[in-house]
């Protein structure tokens, strides 16, 4: 499987999670969770991270990105969660 993703979709998912998700805080940063995906950003906002229990997607400046995952099934499950987030966002807008 190629590690290709629609970066604009991923950024929309990030925005949905940070605006609709539950805020989680620790001493150093804040993250948001929705539909099993956690979203956070670095201190300057140029790098964002989306993750679940097995997969991490890091999006860098100029829309460069990197996946970290143990197997293709974990990646497929992670990407299916994007649709869950999108559905929640659509319902809340309606």
């Amino acid at each position: 499987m190629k590690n290709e993703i629609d970066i604009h979709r991923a950024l929309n998912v990030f925005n949905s999670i940070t605006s609709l998700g539950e805020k989680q805080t620790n001493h150093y940063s804040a993250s948001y969770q929705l539909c099993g995906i956690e979203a956070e950003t670095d201190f300057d906002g140029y790098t964002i991270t989306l993750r679940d229990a097995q997969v991490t997607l890091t999006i860098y400046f100029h829309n460069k990105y990197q996946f970290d995952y143990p197997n293709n099934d974990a990646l497929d499950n992670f990407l299916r969660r994007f649709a869950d987030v999108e559905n929640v966002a659509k319902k809340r807008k309606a």
Side-chain angles (χ1 to χ4, degrees):
M1 167 183 250
K2 287 185 170 184
N3 291 339
E4 293 183 14
I5 188 170
D6 178 349
I7 201 70
H8 296 289
R9 181 180 185 208
L11 293 172
N12 284 333
V13 166
F14 176 84
N15 285 334
S16 293
I17 294 171
T18 57
S19 63
L20 302 173
E22 181 179 327
K23 187 174 184 178
Q24 310 289 315
T25 58
N26 62 34
H27 295 288
Y28 304 106
S29 65
S31 65
Y32 298 84
Q33 290 185 344
L34 183 66
C35 300
I37 298 179
E38 179 180 351
E40 65 183 4
T41 185
D42 65 351
F43 69 95
D44 61 8
Y46 285 112
T47 303
I48 66 169
T49 305
L50 295 168
R51 73 170 58 89
D52 67 6
Q54 294 186 311
V55 178
T56 301
L57 169 60
T58 306
I59 303 173
Y60 303 100
F61 193 61
H62 292 299
N63 296 333
K64 304 277 189 224
Y65 61 91
Q66 178 180 346
F67 277 108
D68 182 25
Y69 58 94
N71 56 53
N72 288 339
D73 289 337
L75 179 60
D76 290 342
N77 184 51
F78 176 75
L79 295 175
R80 277 192 297 273
R81 290 176 192 249
F82 277 24
D84 295 340
V85 171
E86 291 165 335
N87 288 334
V88 168
K90 284 179 188 175
K91 286 180 185 175
R92 294 211 181 153
K93 287 181 182 178

